[in-house]
């Protein structure tokens, strides 16, 4: 199971990203564990500066803005 | 914006996708040029349909609105598209890597310049600030970036270009850079590291920030798509403000007497520059709404330096941004930041009014 973290301090784009990942995972039937990280210190230690960032299994795959649907589909 | 916003199709053939993206972009540019070239005839035709006599207040206002609205929206769309494409070549992570370890001076110039082309959203100002400081970018250099990124944005430049011509747009760009470099340098000289919030300093010292290079790997189709997305996002959001601004500008054009502003915002009224900055700092509106109004004021005798100072202080310094930055900066540092930037803007206003 993939552990996916969305990093962001609660802006609208972060919520949209979270929703998008959830949708795509459901459509694909992939089981994931989705987490939202809002703590600034944690965000900073992951190395992401532009939020929202997406981390899959401790690897940063996206930073800055809502990812496109195709990009999200590519993760599964 | 043209109506041909095709959803990016997940074509299996990359060569085909690439050709489609180029074709779309060229078609967009051709349509843009055709539209732009026919702006005046279309506006003339529209105006001749209306039962208005030139010279009346109402006719002047309507004239201004009909001519300026399509022109402004067209130019803004093009500039936002281009900036959206340009920004795909930059990322905050890359900019940070370029700036880390740079000395003050050179670093200020670089970071202010990178602030123009690096994608920036005030909602991620805090993570960005932290990221810079933790990577060892000097505080003053970080501030140069934080000043130039919001102040010199594509909306401001696009609208200035549309309403005042390229000279004023370039002037705004140069003066914005000047303020960002100077203010950042001054803040660096003041050695204010102790005015960062304590947890920020702790984290900066532990310096366990990973240098993550976010995978980019973009081809031109993706870059064009990013440009289109940028247009949808920005022009889609600001057009009501632009219409509102132009409408208000149109009223000023039609009904406010010539030279009305000369006494209040003219060149001879020296106090108008500080007054403009004082009024501008707490004001928060995006550039979209303010610029058409400013253009109308200028036509009524306001001085360009005063007007530019007003615009800069509205765009560069805003209360919401201060509140966001309060998470990482102590109040005293925020006050110094506002003071230094406002002084820089003041200088720009005075020099401008004196020279032009």
């Amino acid at each position: 199971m993939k552990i996916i973290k969305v990093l962001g301090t609660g802006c609208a784009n972060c919520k949209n990203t979270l929703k998008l990942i959830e949708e795509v995972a459901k459509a694909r039937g992939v089981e994931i564990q989705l987490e939202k990280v809002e703590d600034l210190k944690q965000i900073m230690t992951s190395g992401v500066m532009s939020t929202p960032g997406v981390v899959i299994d401790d690897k940063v795959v996206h930073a800055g803005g809502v990812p496109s649907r195709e990009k999200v589909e590519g993760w599964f | 914006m043209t109506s041909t916003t095709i959803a990016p199709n997940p074509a299996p053939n990359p060569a085909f996708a690439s050709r489609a993206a180029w074709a779309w972009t060229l078609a967009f540019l051709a349509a843009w040029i055709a539209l732009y070239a026919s702006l005046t005839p279309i506006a003339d035709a529209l105006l001749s349909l209306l039962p208005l006599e030139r010279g009346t207040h109402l006719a002047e206002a309507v004239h201004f609105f009909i001519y300026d609205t399509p022109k402004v929206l067209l130019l803004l769309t093009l500039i936002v598209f281009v900036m959206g494409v340009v920004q795909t070549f930059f990322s905050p992570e890359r900019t940070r890597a370029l700036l880390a370890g740079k000395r003050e001076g050179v670093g200020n110039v670089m970071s202010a310049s990178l602030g123009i082309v690096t994608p920036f959203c005030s909602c991620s100002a805090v993570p960005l600030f932290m990221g810079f400081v933790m990577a060892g970018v000097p505080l003053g250099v970080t501030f140069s970036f934080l000043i130039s990124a919001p102040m010199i944005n594509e909306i401001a430049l696009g609208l200035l270009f549309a309403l005042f011509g390229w000279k004023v747009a370039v002037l705004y760009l140069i003066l914005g850079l000047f303020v960002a470099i100077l203010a950042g340098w001054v803040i660096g000289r003041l050695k204010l590291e102790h005015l960062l919030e304590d947890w920020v300093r702790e984290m900066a010292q532990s310096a366990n920030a990973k240098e993550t290079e976010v995978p980019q790997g973009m081809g031109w189709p993706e870059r064009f798509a990013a440009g289109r997305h940028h247009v949808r996002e920005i022009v889609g959001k600001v057009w009501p403000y632009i219409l509102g601004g132009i409408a208000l500008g149109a009223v000023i054009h039609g009904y406010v007497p010539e030279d009305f502003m000369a006494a209040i915002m003219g060149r001879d009224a020296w106090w108008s520059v500080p007054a403009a900055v004082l009024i501008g700092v707490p004001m928060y509106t995006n550039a979209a709404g303010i610029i058409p109004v400013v253009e109308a004021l200028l036509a009524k005798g306001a001085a360009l330096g005063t007007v530019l100072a007003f615009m800069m202080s509205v765009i560069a310094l805003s209360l919401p941004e201060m509140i966001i930055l309060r998470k990482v900066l102590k109040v005293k540092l925020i006050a110094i930041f506002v003071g230094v930037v406002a002084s820089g803007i003041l200088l720009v206003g005075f020099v401008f009014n004196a020279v032009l």
Side-chain angles (χ1 to χ4, degrees):
Chain A
M1 190 167 68
K2 281 186 158 117
I3 299 176
I4 302 182
K5 290 181 192 161
V6 176
L7 317 177
T9 45
C11 50
N13 279 346
C14 311
K15 284 174 200 138
N16 293 338
T17 307
L18 209 68
K19 226 171 72 192
L20 181 67
I21 295 175
E22 223 167 12
E23 267 175 37
V24 173
K26 206 177 256 175
R28 289 278 172 118
V30 183
E31 219 177 299
I32 54 164
Q33 188 188 329
L34 201 55
E35 261 177 65
K36 192 164 191 310
V37 180
E38 291 196 0
D39 180 51
L40 212 50
K41 285 183 204 176
Q42 269 192 56
I43 295 175
M44 292 326 299
T45 38
S46 74
V48 167
M49 278 198 301
S50 33
T51 54
V54 179
V55 174
I56 300 181
D57 296 336
D58 292 325
K59 213 171 146 249
V60 178
V61 293
H62 176 82
V66 181
S68 67
R69 184 172 273 273
E70 292 83 64
K71 198 171 176 184
V72 176
E73 280 168 353
W75 294 337
F76 299 117
Chain B
M1 237 186 321
T2 53
S3 56
T4 48
T5 39
I6 315 157
N9 54 336
N13 184 348
F16 174 77
S18 168
R19 264 204 303 277
W22 277 102
W24 186 93
T25 305
L26 290 177
F28 163 73
L29 288 178
W32 190 92
I33 292 169
L35 256 175
Y36 194 75
S38 50
L39 271 184
T40 315
I42 291 176
D44 280 335
L46 247 170
L47 215 58
S48 68
L49 292 177
L50 297 171
L52 287 171
E53 223 170 295
R54 281 308 300 267
T56 63
H57 287 318
L58 184 64
E60 287 307 308
V62 171
H63 188 261
F64 179 79
F65 189 79
I66 287 182
Y67 272 89
D68 272 23
T69 310
K71 188 173 102 186
V72 166
L73 288 178
L74 266 177
L75 277 165
L76 190 68
T77 302
L78 183 69
I79 289 175
V80 169
F81 177 76
V82 171
M83 275 307 274
V85 174
V86 168
Q87 285 182 350
T88 62
F89 290 92
F90 298 86
S91 72
E93 286 77 12
R94 247 184 100 187
T95 294
R96 174 175 66 175
L98 286 171
L99 291 177
K102 284 282 175 305
R103 280 186 312 151
E104 284 167 3
V106 186
N108 292 109
V109 174
M110 271 183 69
S111 77
S113 314
L114 285 165
I116 304 172
V117 287
T118 307
F120 174 81
C121 152
S122 58
C123 54
S124 57
V126 165
L128 189 124
F129 183 90
M130 290 291 304
F132 274 34
V133 170
M134 283 164 68
V137 179
L139 191 61
V141 176
T142 304
F143 267 109
S144 279
F145 183 91
L146 270 188
I147 296 164
S148 101
M151 180 157 66
I152 309 173
N153 63 60
E154 53 269 43
I155 304 174
L157 289 179
L159 285 174
L160 283 176
F161 181 66
L163 289 166
F164 299 93
W166 65 272
K167 276 185 197 157
V168 175
V170 169
L171 214 59
Y172 182 84
L173 181 106
I174 293 170
L175 293 173
L177 273 176
F178 169 77
V179 169
I181 293 167
L182 186 74
W185 185 78
V186 168
I187 290 173
R189 290 281 97 188
L190 291 174
K191 304 265 174 254
L192 299 169
E193 280 75 6
H194 61 282
L195 290 179
L196 294 172
E197 280 295 335
D198 297 334
W199 70 273
V200 175
R201 268 186 302 158
E202 276 161 32
M203 279 199 83
Q205 270 153 17
S206 64
N208 52 359
K210 268 189 272 175
E211 289 272 335
T212 316
E213 190 62 46
V214 178
Q216 290 271 313
M218 265 195 182
W220 281 102
E222 283 95 345
R223 295 191 197 283
F224 289 144
R228 286 206 299 274
H229 182 75
H230 207 52
V231 168
R232 264 206 299 279
E233 203 173 13
I234 290 191
V235 181
K237 201 167 62 188
V238 303
W239 72 265
Y241 297 95
I242 294 177
L243 285 194
I246 297 176
L248 191 57
V251 171
I252 297 176
H253 257 281
Y255 291 91
V256 175
E258 220 49 56
D259 288 337
F260 175 78
M261 295 310 288
I264 317 170
M265 287 180 81
R267 200 180 310 169
D268 299 328
W270 67 267
W271 46 268
S272 68
V273 180
V277 174
L278 272 182
I279 297 168
V281 171
M283 265 177 81
Y284 177 65
T285 160
N286 46 39
I290 204 88
I291 295 176
V293 178
V294 155
E295 197 259 354
L297 292 181
L298 206 60
K300 300 297 178 184
L304 189 58
T306 309
V307 160
L308 281 179
F310 177 64
M311 260 188 62
M312 281 184 172
S313 55
V314 170
I315 302 173
L317 297 167
S318 72
L319 205 55
E321 199 197 339
M322 305 301 135
I323 293 167
I324 291 174
L325 285 176
R326 178 65 191 86
K327 280 190 200 161
V328 284
L329 310 178
K330 290 186 177 156
V331 175
K332 198 172 162 194
L333 183 46
I334 295 183
I336 295 172
F337 166 65
V338 174
V340 170
V341 175
S343 311
I345 295 173
L346 219 56
L347 187 67
V348 162
F350 278 131
V351 168
F352 237 77
N353 282 352
V355 171
L356 281 180

